[in-house]
Amino acid sequence: MQCELAVLVAIIAGSYAGVVFPSTHDGATLAPSVLVDSLQHWGRQAASTYERFEDWDACAACQHPDIADTQVNATWSTMVPAFSRGYVGIQHARREVVVAVRGTTHVMDALADAQLVQVPWPADTRAHVHAGFLLAYRAARPHILGALRQIEDDPELAGYSVRFLGHSLGAAQASLAFADYVQHANTTERRRYQLVTMGAPRVGDSGFAAILDALATEHAAGGVQGFGVLRVVHANDIVVHLPRVLGRYVHGGREVWARGSDAAGWELRVCRRAGEDPGCSASVGPLWWSMGDHLEYPGMRLGIPRY
C-alpha cells in the first residue's frame, strides 16, 4: 500500500512539479562532457530494445550513426517464465560487447514489478533480490550467458569490454545479469566489465548492493567512466525510489545524477558516496517524483513503445 500510494501521489504531482536539483552537492563533482557522450551512446543502445531490433536494418532507433554498425550476436524475446527482450551486440570500432535489456512497457512486466517479495540471490544466499525481477532475468539468462560464452572463446574479441545496459525493468535485469556473469566469469583474458543503468528500480537488499559495490571496485578502471557500476538518475525520476518496503531495498553502485535533455544538453554530477548518496537523488521527496523524468535519459526519449 505504501508503494502504490507513493506512485499515485508522484504521478499526480509530476504534472506540475519542478525539478529539484540543488546547485551544490556534498562532495558531488561535475562530470566531463565526454561522459555525456558515452552515456548518450549507451542510452541509444538501451532505447533500441523498445523497437523490433531483431532486424537491425529495419529498426529506426538503431540507425543512429552512433550505433548503426552494431553487430547483433544474439536476441531473445521470451514469455515463459516471464516476459523479457534484449540483445547481445558487438561494436568493433569501440571494442565493446553490449548486453542490452528492454525496460517496462508490457503488462507482464508490470506484473513482475508488483512482486515485491524478496528471494535469496542464487550465487550468494546471504543476499536477497526482488522475486519478479529475478523471474524476468531467468527468462533471459540462457540467451545472455550462451552468447557471452561464445564471445569469451573468440580470440578476435580478446580485450573487448563487456557492458550491461538497461532502462527501468531492463536496468534491473541488467544488474542481475552483470552480477551473475561477472561473479562467475571464467576467462584468462583480463576484460573490463561494466554495468550502466538508467532509471533503475532498487533490485535487492543491502547484501546484493554490497555485491554490486564489490564488483564495481574490482572492475573499476581509469578513464571517464571511472566506476564498474554507474547508476544514472534523471532529476526526479520516480522509479529509482521504488520499491519502498521498510528499507529492505537498497541501491548499489555509483550514482550519476543528471538534468537536462539531449536537445538542451546534460549536466551530470557524479555523487560522492556509493549506493544512495543523501546529497543526490535520494534528497528528492515523494511529492516531487516524476514519471516524465523516467522516460528521458541521455540518448533516450521514450514515447509509446512499438512491438
Side-chain angles (χ1 to χ4, degrees):
M1 178 60 71
Q2 180 186 15
C3 175
E4 287 80 358
L5 179 59
V7 171
L8 178 61
V9 170
I11 291 175
I12 294 172
S15 61
Y16 56 82
V19 173
V20 176
F21 199 86
S23 58
T24 60
H25 296 269
D26 182 15
T29 58
L30 284 171
S33 59
V34 67
L35 178 56
V36 176
D37 295 338
S38 295
L39 292 182
Q40 287 178 319
H41 168 68
W42 297 324
R44 292 180 189 112
Q45 295 276 12
S48 67
T49 63
Y50 286 93
E51 296 204 30
R52 290 189 176 277
F53 54 81
E54 290 85 351
D55 182 356
W56 197 259
D57 292 337
C59 166
C62 307
Q63 301 315 302
H64 190 284
D66 187 37
I67 64 171
D69 61 346
T70 301
Q71 173 188 317
V72 178
N73 183 270
T75 67
W76 69 90
S77 183
T78 68
M79 298 295 289
V80 178
F83 189 90
S84 179
R85 292 188 72 206
Y87 65 86
V88 178
I90 302 170
Q91 279 210 307
H92 294 288
R94 290 178 177 258
R95 293 179 60 82
E96 72 176 0
V97 176
V98 171
V99 180
V101 190
R102 194 193 65 108
T104 306
T105 57
H106 192 281
V107 64
M108 292 183 71
D109 295 347
L111 290 174
D113 290 350
Q115 297 177 31
L116 298 178
V117 64
Q118 290 184 342
V119 295
W121 174 237
D124 184 345
T125 56
R126 294 170 296 178
H128 295 78
V129 298
H130 184 292
F133 298 162
L134 182 59
L135 186 68
Y137 168 60
R138 279 177 168 160
R141 186 176 190 266
H143 306 278
I144 294 173
L145 297 190
L148 289 180
R149 284 167 182 153
Q150 289 184 348
I151 289 169
E152 294 281 10
D153 292 337
D154 189 338
E156 294 186 1
L157 302 178
Y160 279 38
S161 60
V162 180
R163 289 190 171 87
F164 296 78
L165 311 173
H167 168 258
S168 195
L169 175 63
Q173 292 186 58
S175 299
L176 296 172
F178 170 79
D180 184 24
Y181 186 75
V182 177
Q183 279 185 292
H184 302 97
N186 181 21
T187 174
T188 57
E189 176 69 27
R190 178 65 177 176
R191 293 182 186 270
R192 183 180 178 199
Y193 300 94
Q194 188 176 41
L195 169 66
V196 180
T197 66
M198 298 185 178
R202 296 182 177 109
V203 178
D205 63 6
S206 58
F208 186 73
I211 290 173
L212 290 181
D213 290 340
L215 293 174
T217 300
E218 179 181 353
H219 294 283
V224 298
Q225 289 80 22
F227 299 97
V229 176
L230 285 180
R231 182 173 63 88
V232 187
V233 177
H234 180 202
N236 302 351
D237 184 343
I238 180 176
V239 172
V240 304
H241 301 284
L242 304 174
R244 287 166 56 101
V245 184
L246 300 176
R248 292 176 57 205
Y249 285 89
V250 181
H251 279 300
R254 182 73 56 166
E255 179 181 351
V256 176
W257 201 15
R259 71 171 175 182
S261 66
D262 283 344
W266 290 95
E267 179 182 319
L268 306 178
R269 293 185 183 270
V270 180
C271 303
R272 184 181 66 175
R273 303 180 187 178
E276 302 192 20
D277 189 325
C280 288
S281 65
S283 66
V284 179
L287 287 178
W288 299 106
W289 294 348
S290 166
M291 182 58 72
D293 287 348
H294 182 62
L295 300 177
E296 186 168 9
Y297 272 82
M300 175 189 307
R301 187 172 184 180
L302 301 177
I304 299 175
R306 283 176 279 181
Y307 293 92

